[in-house]
Amino acid sequence: MTVNDLIIVYEDNHIIVVVKPQNVPCCEDSSGDYDLLSAVKDYIKEKYNKPGNVYVGLVHRLDRPTGGVMVFAKSSKAAARLSEQLKAGEFEKKYLAVLVGTPKEKKAILVNYLKKNAVNNTVYVCGATVEGAKIAELDYKILEENEGLSLADVRLHTGRSHQIRVQMSFIGTPVYGDMRYGGDKAKKGNLALWAYTLAFNHPITQERLVFKVQPPKDQKPWSCFDIDKPFMYINPKNS
């Protein structure tokens, strides 16, 4: 990725909403690879001819293999207000996921307790009484089935690390391409997990903003489904 590859969905004086490509880190990590946060900073520096360091606030994260819509703050005030919303549960995050197989229930709420192993950066389902366990909740509905795969619309209620991947694998339908949690069912390919909806209140005007971005629908396994369906009957102001 280069700064010229940056896809900007929305920008004003306070925030910038962009598309995170798959397999690009959202911020600097041990790999040393060019990251999305650096790309946004470089874009602002170049576009507005700003000298020295440019402030861009990282408000939330997506796992490196996950693509989709992200918002960054262009001021510390905006960053603080967006972070407050995130903690208060006022952000809405929805994902599309291609699952290997189809869950027994086509629509359900999943509630588990998760614990992270910091040594190998993996997360696992555990009991509620395990030290360090955190509750994880999401709801999903299956939109379509094809070729032994299913397309799921997933809404996060909590924001735990690797949450969707772990919880969907736990019920026997791992995310396509998830070699870490998919076990014997894993299919090789890019992780088919995409953050397609992000909604929050503008940090200054308080207007409710909803941004929706499609996954790469010409690429497998997305190409197995009618990806346009989740976007067909949407009122951007009220969804």
Side-chain angles (χ1 to χ4, degrees), residues 16 92 127 149:
I16 180 169
E92 183 181 29
L149 305 173

Side-chain angles (χ1 to χ4, degrees), residues 99-101 145-150 187 220-221 223-225:
L99 308 178
V100 181
E145 299 171 57
N146 190 24
E147 299 182 14
L149 305 173
S150 58
K187 301 281 188 181
K220 195 173 180 181
S223 57
C224 297
F225 302 97

Side-chain angles (χ1 to χ4, degrees), residues 88-141:
E90 295 171 357
F91 265 57
E92 183 181 29
K93 301 177 186 177
K94 295 178 74 176
Y95 294 74
L96 288 176
V98 178
L99 308 178
V100 181
T102 302
K104 292 179 181 178
E105 294 183 80
K106 299 292 181 70
K107 185 177 181 180
I109 296 174
L110 301 183
V111 180
N112 301 103
Y113 283 85
L114 305 182
K115 184 171 182 178
K116 186 172 185 176
N117 183 334
V119 176
N120 59 11
N121 192 33
T122 58
V123 178
Y124 60 94
V125 175
C126 64
T129 58
V130 173
E131 184 179 358
K134 294 182 178 180
I135 193 167
E137 183 175 339
L138 60 77
D139 67 72
Y140 72 86
K141 61 181 176 181

Side-chain angles (χ1 to χ4, degrees), residues 31-129:
S31 71
D33 293 341
Y34 192 56
D35 60 273
L36 190 61
L37 178 60
S38 295
V40 173
K41 287 182 177 181
D42 289 344
Y43 158 78
I44 291 174
K45 189 171 184 176
E46 291 177 17
K47 181 176 180 179
Y48 300 103
N49 215 6
K50 290 198 171 186
N53 292 327
V54 172
Y55 178 87
V56 176
L58 179 68
V59 178
H60 63 117
R61 298 170 186 263
L62 289 176
D63 292 341
R64 180 169 181 148
T66 305
V69 61
M70 289 187 69
V71 60
F72 292 89
K74 293 174 69 176
S75 69
S76 56
K77 181 178 182 179
R81 290 185 176 181
L82 289 173
S83 295
E84 288 171 5
Q85 285 187 56
L86 191 63
K87 290 177 183 177
E90 295 171 357
F91 265 57
E92 183 181 29
K93 301 177 186 177
K94 295 178 74 176
Y95 294 74
L96 288 176
V98 178
L99 308 178
V100 181
T102 302
K104 292 179 181 178
E105 294 183 80
K106 299 292 181 70
K107 185 177 181 180
I109 296 174
L110 301 183
V111 180
N112 301 103
Y113 283 85
L114 305 182
K115 184 171 182 178
K116 186 172 185 176
N117 183 334
V119 176
N120 59 11
N121 192 33
T122 58
V123 178
Y124 60 94
V125 175
C126 64
T129 58

